[in-house]
Amino acid sequence: MLYDTLIRNALIIDGSNTPGYRADVAIHGGRIERIGELRETRAREEIDAAGRVLAPGFIDVHTHDDTVVIRQPQMLPKLSQGVTTVIVGNCGISASPVSLRGDPPDPMNLLGPARAFAYPRFADYRGAVEAATPAVNVAALVGHTALRSNHMDDLLRTASVGEITAMRRQLRESLEDGALGLSTGLAYANAFCAATDEVMQLSEELAAFGAVYATHLRSEFEPVLEAMDEAFQIGRHAQSPVIISHLKCAGAGNWGRSPQVLAALESAAQNHPVGCDCYPYAASSSTLDLKQVTDAHRITITWSTPHPHMGGRDLTDIAAEWDVSLLEAARRLQPAGAVYYGMDESDVRRILAHPLSMVGSDGLPEDPFPHPRLWGAFPRVLGHFSRDIGLFPLHTAVHKMTGLSAARFGLKARGEIREGHWADLVLFNPQTVRDVADFNTPQRAAEGIDGVWVNGVLSYREGQANGKREGRFLAREGDLRRGFQCVQ
């Protein structure tokens, strides 16, 4: 048989959290057809891996790529770092189902301007992704704030019975059309006033579908344990798996509390399917939040609508130039985005290394001066954290970005290198792979990523995208609760 692609002499790290082995991989019809010693086998395209690592394509479980996968389907920031699948709709904000009556409310504006929200039904969004054929696969959550925006005239209160009924109907329709579950961003002003009961009632729709509840906690600062308790309460009520988004100990007064936070996660995991994602940096990025303005750590402005020339500058420098307080400078800059240097490195490492944590970039593709995680999160885990400081072995790093992620989100036949699985693959040099995007020059492709295949098609090679776009929309398959059994 003549295969489509044959990758020879690779060190296979298969995504299952086990050490690598040497083998050849044959691809046919978009899937991995054979793995082994294939000396006599032939293919239309043959690549000598020369001992480099062949891993499953990375799965970015926490993105805000909802609209960019349609408007900029080449997806170079993700493809260039070996990402082959993105999970969108996080933090309570999603591109669908959305019917705007004006500008998108904060933080939905992170996804683009009003014209980017053209999908009143989840099925409309799914169809648009399929028509755009992005370079990466896409699976989607439904945002709680998006639902609130559709049905409430005032987001600074909890929803009425009628509004909750309308939101539930829209969530149920989206789940029927393949949504992974519900996400919330309860820390943001436009969802903060939602009572726990509002979210619990919405979450009741999840159980019948085996769908997931992902949450940007109500607080990542001092009340983080109480916020985690709320998340677990909602999950137990819904009989739904809980994923805590970008788990962290935010704010200088919260540094050093990661052992407590992780103990709470472990305790909840003893009798309920839970997990978390995190990004490998000690700085966060979002809209400019007046509640987070402080002189305890550095804050850099990433964009500002009234003062666009201030992007890339520190808030302290802007305030000094204007001769006003930090808070007043922040008010003048709004609406705006910011990077907050508000975490302690030891907490980041402890959370990243924990067996219950997956890797997600939380990158913001709309930012003119983005956090470097948009371009560098996954190579940073491989290079800096695994190879350079030895936080975990390479096979564990790969597992946190592939097999574990696919299991949690029910991405069938993905996340591991196995015969019959889809050929989402990344070839990289374990000695040289590294992130080169930093906070001064954040839009730089990683080094050491030598090849990326999406559904069996080579789409990125030796630092260059080739224009091939073979990504697909991945609808929810089966009961996602099953994917948590292996990590309890």
Side-chain angles (χ1 to χ4, degrees):
M1 177 178 181
L2 185 66
Y3 293 100
D4 296 331
T5 304
L6 184 60
I7 304 169
R8 297 191 184 277
N9 306 316
L11 175 61
I12 309 292
I13 297 184
D14 66 8
S16 66
N17 203 18
T18 55
Y21 61 93
R22 303 278 174 176
D24 307 328
V25 174
I27 300 169
H28 187 71
R31 293 183 184 263
I32 298 166
E33 193 80 11
R34 290 180 64 191
I35 303 170
E37 195 283 299
L38 306 177
R39 191 174 306 164
E40 305 303 319
T41 304
R42 294 291 175 262
R44 293 181 180 87
E45 181 176 37
E46 298 191 15
I47 294 172
D48 184 1
R52 290 168 293 179
V53 170
L54 186 68
F58 305 137
I59 298 167
D60 192 343
V61 297
H62 192 103
T63 84
H64 297 288
D65 295 332
D66 303 52
T67 65
V68 77
V69 295
I70 296 167
R71 293 182 291 118
Q72 299 174 33
Q74 67 274 12
M75 291 299 291
L76 190 58
K78 296 301 169 67
L79 195 65
S80 65
Q81 56 181 310
V83 170
T84 57
T85 298
V86 296
I87 308 293
V88 304
N90 286 282
C91 295
I93 58 178
S94 59
S96 72
V98 171
S99 300
L100 293 177
R101 293 182 289 275
D103 290 332
D106 184 287
M108 287 175 62
N109 52 3
L110 290 174
L111 303 184
R115 64 180 179 275
F117 294 84
Y119 318 106
R121 301 176 307 146
F122 188 85
D124 299 326
Y125 177 74
R126 177 175 176 174
V129 172
E130 290 170 341
T133 59
V136 297
N137 301 310
V138 180
L141 296 155
V142 170
H144 171 228
T145 301
L147 294 173
R148 299 186 101 231
S149 173
N150 292 342
H151 299 287
M152 297 176 65
D153 56 1
D154 177 11
L155 300 180
L156 302 181
R157 61 172 174 82
T158 200
S160 68
V161 172
E163 289 163 343
I164 291 173
T165 298
M167 286 191 280
R168 285 185 67 155
R169 184 184 308 113
Q170 204 162 36
L171 174 59
R172 184 166 59 249
E173 290 171 354
S174 300
L175 293 167
E176 290 169 348
D177 286 325
L180 295 170
L182 173 70
S183 78
T184 57
L186 299 175
Y188 292 105
N190 284 319
F192 187 78
C193 293
T196 304
D197 184 64
E198 174 184 319
V199 184
M200 287 174 70
Q201 288 189 58
L202 276 178
S203 73
E204 290 171 3
E205 298 295 336
L206 301 175
F209 297 90
V212 73
Y213 174 63
T215 179
H216 176 151
L217 296 169
R218 200 176 287 272
S219 177
E220 298 172 327
F221 293 81
E222 280 79 357
V224 62
L225 294 177
E226 293 84 352
M228 291 175 73
D229 285 342
E230 178 188 38
F232 301 143
Q233 178 189 3
I234 292 166
R236 287 191 295 267
H237 178 79
Q239 302 173 33
S240 170
V242 176
I243 294 174
I244 296 179
S245 298
H246 40 60
L247 184 61
K248 64 173 73 75
C249 298
N254 220 21
W255 291 352
R257 292 186 68 199
S258 54
Q260 287 178 274
V261 166
L262 291 169
L265 190 72
E266 291 171 4
S267 177
Q270 290 176 7
N271 53 31
H272 192 78
V274 305
C276 69
D277 65 62
C278 61
Y279 46 80
Y281 298 86
S284 61
S285 182
S286 187
T287 51
L288 180 59
D289 179 5
L290 298 182
K291 299 195 300 294
Q292 294 190 52
V293 171
T294 177
D295 60 3
H297 54 74
R298 182 182 171 198
I299 300 173
T300 302
I301 302 305
T302 56
W303 59 272
S304 167
T305 298
H307 302 282
H309 59 290
M310 293 300 180
R313 296 189 60 188
D314 283 5
L315 182 60
T316 52
D317 295 340
I318 297 169
E321 182 177 309
W322 289 347
D323 194 23
V324 297
S325 68
L326 289 178
L327 193 60
E328 177 57 29
R331 286 196 183 98
R332 292 186 186 183
L333 289 163
Q334 287 189 312
V339 168
Y340 306 89
Y341 296 81
M343 290 176 271
D344 180 73
E345 180 69 19
S346 63
D347 287 322
V348 173
R349 294 184 184 187
R350 200 171 285 119
I351 293 169
L352 182 62
H354 196 275
L356 287 170
S357 70
M358 303 173 285
V359 176
S361 72
D362 197 16
L364 300 175
E366 291 295 318
D367 275 11
F369 194 83
H371 189 301
R373 64 194 181 188
L374 178 67
W375 287 80
F378 291 82
R380 183 170 177 78
V381 173
L382 298 171
H384 176 67
F385 283 103
S386 178
R387 180 191 62 228
D388 297 344
I389 69 172
L391 188 62
F392 31 58
L394 185 58
H395 62 263
T396 298
V398 169
H399 175 63
K400 285 177 167 290
M401 307 191 295
T402 60
L404 179 60
S405 309
R408 293 267 178 82
F409 285 99
L411 306 180
K412 298 292 177 64
R414 299 183 193 270
E416 293 188 4
I417 296 180
R418 294 182 182 274
E419 291 181 356
H421 276 217
W422 290 102
D424 292 342
L425 301 167
V426 56
L427 182 69
F428 65 89
N429 187 328
Q431 305 305 317
T432 63
V433 66
R434 70 184 187 103
D435 60 309
V436 292
D438 58 28
F439 289 98
N440 295 315
T441 52
Q443 294 171 302
R444 298 173 67 195
E447 295 178 355
I449 302 294
D450 298 323
V452 183
W453 289 260
V454 181
N455 294 308
V457 175
L458 183 61
S459 304
Y460 186 86
R461 186 172 189 179
E462 297 175 351
Q464 297 291 326
N466 61 15
K468 301 283 181 64
R469 304 205 315 261
E470 294 294 329
R472 300 173 186 177
F473 187 89
L474 305 181
R476 188 195 67 261
E477 292 187 72
D479 191 329
L480 303 193
R481 287 169 288 210
R482 298 193 187 106
F484 287 71
Q485 301 306 315
C486 59
V487 295
Q488 296 304 304

